[in-house]
Amino acid sequence: MDASDLRIALFSGNYNYVRDGANQALNRLVEYLLRQGAAVRIYSPTVKEPAFPPNGEIVHIPAIPFPGRAEYRAPLMIPASAKRDIRRFDPNIFHVASPEMLGHRAVTLARGMDRPVIASVHTRFETYPRYYGLAFLEPLMLSALRRFYRRCDAIFAPSESMAQLLREQRMNYDVGIWTRGIDRGIFNPDRRDLEWRRSLGIDDDVPVIGFTGRLVMEKGLDVFSDTIDRLERRQVRHKVLVVGEGPARDWFEKRLPNGCFVGFQEGQDLGRAVASMDMLFNPSVTETFGNVTLEAMSVGLPVVAAIATGSQSLVTDGVTGRLVRAGAIAAFGDALAAYCQDPELRERAGRAGMEISMRYGWDEVNQELVDAYLRVIRQRKAGLRHRRSPVP
C-alpha cells in the first residue's frame, strides 16, 4: 500500500473561510496528497467569499455563526446527504482537524464504518477561556479534549514540545508529529525592503519589533502592548510593525498609537513585511507550533517568544532568540531592548535561526503524515489499535 491507495475523508470546522496557519497547513497537505495520487474529500462549512481558494473538493456542512466570534462557523451535525457522500466515497482513513461537534460526529461515523481515524492538533483550545475571564473552565475543557482524542487511533502535534504536553495530559497512547514547513521562495532575507519601510515612516536605522498573526486577544496582545509600554518608558529606540487583521485590531491600535498597522498581507507582500522587521515578538502561549516564528527565522530575524509549546521546539534560548516566561513583561522588555540596542547580537541570532529553518520543507513534513496514515491503516487491519485507557 502506498500514497496512491489512500482515500482520506478530511473534516474541518474551518477549511478555508478564515485564513490562519492551521487552515493553510491543511490546504498544503491536501495539495501534496493529490499530487501523490491520493483521493481526498473535505467536509467543512463553506461561505460565499472564502479567505482563499481551497485545494481539493469541499462538501458543504451546515453551520451557524460561533457566539461572540461571528467570523467562525460552528457545525452541529453531519447531515444525511453528507453521510451518504462519505459512504459512496468509501474512505480508508478519517482525518479530523478540530475537536468540535463535527469532529465528534466524524469519529462516531468512522467507528460505525470500522475505519481508522486520526486527529491533528492545531491549537491549545484549553487555554482560550483564560483570555475571556473564564479560566475556571480550563479543567472541563481538558476533560472534554481527552475524551475526544482518546477515541482516535492516533493524534498528531506540530512540534515535539506539543506532543510531549499531549502525552503528559494523557490525550492518547499514539502521539506523532506532523510539523510545518516554510516556503523559502517567500520567506528569505532578500525580501527585505527598506524603501517599503520608509513609505511607512520608518527610518533605516530604527529597530523594528514585529508582530504577525490574527489580531485576537489569545495571541497575547495585552502582553505585547504592556511590554512596548515598558520599552517606551525606558526610552529604547524602536518602532512596532503589526501585520495581520482580526476582531481585536481596534483595541490593539489604541494600545499602540505609535505602531504601524499594515493589515493582512499574503504571498510576496507578507515575505517583504516579515523580512523588513528586525525582530519578531511572539508572546502567545496558544500556538502548538508557531508558523510566524518559523517564518521570521527563515528571513533571519531573532525571535523573542514565550516559553510555550511550539516556540520551545523552534527557538534556542540565547542562540536564535530568547524564551521568556509567559507574561513576564520585564523579562520580555529586557530581551527586546538587548536586540534593539545591539545590531551584532541581532545579526548573530538571525543567522542561527535561518540555519535551523532550512530543516523545514513542506513536501518533507507532509510525507511524514502520509507515512503515518499508512501505518495507522496497517495497524487497524492487523487489530493493533491501542485500547482506550481509563482516566486516572
Side-chain angles (χ1 to χ4, degrees):
M1 187 176 189
D2 59 24
S4 63
D5 298 309
L6 288 170
R7 299 183 61 79
I8 303 152
L10 173 61
F11 296 82
S12 171
N14 175 15
Y15 185 64
N16 75 318
Y17 62 80
V18 172
R19 183 186 294 270
D20 61 23
N23 297 335
Q24 293 180 87
L26 289 170
N27 270 265
R28 285 183 178 273
L29 170 66
V30 170
E31 187 273 336
Y32 180 76
L33 288 166
L34 295 174
R35 275 197 283 123
Q36 305 312 304
V40 185
R41 204 148 172 82
I42 302 110
Y43 299 87
S44 171
T46 59
V47 296
K48 289 183 179 179
E49 298 182 1
F52 57 94
N55 286 319
E57 184 176 355
I58 303 178
V59 175
H60 174 69
I61 300 296
I64 60 174
F66 194 85
R69 293 290 294 276
E71 74 272 25
Y72 288 102
R73 315 292 294 178
L76 301 180
M77 60 182 292
I78 303 176
S81 58
K83 289 181 180 178
R84 289 193 296 270
D85 186 274
I86 292 165
R87 291 191 172 94
R88 283 195 300 268
F89 178 59
D90 192 25
N92 51 20
I93 190 166
F94 283 54
H95 177 163
V96 293
S98 52
E100 28 61 331
M101 195 62 69
L102 176 62
H104 278 278
R105 296 288 183 261
V107 174
T108 298
L109 186 59
R111 291 285 163 261
M113 295 175 64
D114 193 25
R115 300 292 192 273
V117 55
I118 69 101
S120 52
V121 182
H122 297 274
T123 191
R124 292 192 58 187
F125 286 105
E126 79 277 12
T127 67
Y128 283 24
R130 70 181 67 167
Y131 296 97
Y132 300 94
L134 300 170
F136 65 91
L137 292 177
E138 287 192 31
L140 294 176
M141 288 281 287
L142 275 172
S143 179
L145 290 169
R146 189 176 295 115
R147 284 196 298 274
F148 174 76
Y149 288 126
R150 286 191 175 198
R151 297 179 67 207
C152 301
D153 291 75
I155 63 176
F156 292 86
S159 64
E160 178 53 44
S161 55
M162 185 62 196
Q164 186 55 37
L165 177 66
L166 292 170
R167 296 179 190 114
E168 292 169 359
Q169 293 174 333
R170 310 184 312 283
M171 292 294 175
N172 196 289
Y173 280 109
D174 191 340
V175 182
I177 305 291
W178 172 41
T179 188
R180 302 292 180 265
I182 192 74
D183 186 337
R184 297 188 188 93
I186 293 175
F187 297 101
N188 65 78
D190 294 338
R191 297 296 301 155
R192 187 173 177 84
D193 188 339
L194 293 179
E195 185 62 37
W196 181 75
R197 282 176 36 135
R198 293 182 200 120
S199 73
L200 300 173
I202 303 174
D203 293 336
D204 293 359
D205 62 341
V206 174
V208 172
I209 300 171
F211 178 94
T212 306
R214 273 185 59 74
L215 303 186
V216 290
M217 295 307 298
E218 55 265 30
K219 295 295 185 181
L221 305 187
D222 53 345
V223 174
F224 190 103
S225 52
D226 288 348
T227 303
I228 296 302
D229 287 347
R230 188 177 184 88
L231 290 181
E232 291 179 349
R233 288 195 297 270
R234 292 173 57 179
Q235 298 184 334
V236 175
R237 192 165 182 249
H238 71 280
K239 193 71 173 178
V240 170
L241 175 59
V242 177
V243 179
E245 283 289 354
R249 175 167 176 165
D250 287 345
W251 181 93
F252 207 26
E253 283 191 287
K254 290 174 182 176
R255 282 293 285 113
L256 299 174
N258 297 320
C260 291
F261 285 73
V262 298
F264 170 73
Q265 305 283 308
E266 64 179 328
Q268 297 296 331
D269 290 339
L270 176 59
R272 176 184 64 182
V274 176
S276 298
M277 301 170 182
D278 292 292
M279 67 202 77
L280 182 78
F281 180 21
N282 183 10
S284 173
V285 298
T286 63
E287 275 85 7
T288 56
F289 180 73
N291 294 38
V292 297
T293 296
L294 181 59
E295 290 163 1
M297 293 168 63
S298 187
V299 303
L301 303 186
V303 177
V304 176
I307 299 174
T309 52
S311 297
Q312 288 177 286
S313 295
L314 291 170
V315 179
T316 303
D317 187 41
V319 179
T320 65
R322 294 303 311 274
L323 290 171
V324 175
R325 181 174 55 84
I329 306 299
F332 278 130
D334 289 343
L336 291 169
Y339 287 125
C340 285
Q341 296 167 341
D342 190 339
E344 291 184 3
L345 181 65
R346 286 202 305 268
E347 184 179 354
R348 189 162 58 247
R351 282 198 308 269
M354 190 161 51
E355 290 177 6
I356 290 176
S357 75
M358 297 300 289
R359 304 171 187 170
Y360 297 85
W362 276 112
D363 281 4
E364 291 83 357
V365 301
N366 284 333
Q367 181 58 46
E368 291 180 4
L369 187 60
V370 169
D371 294 340
Y373 283 150
L374 297 171
R375 173 181 63 81
V376 170
I377 291 171
R378 287 195 301 270
Q379 289 177 181
R380 169 55 77 100
K381 288 182 177 179
L384 297 177
R385 179 175 180 260
H386 290 296
R387 291 178 301 169
R388 184 179 172 189
S389 65
V391 179

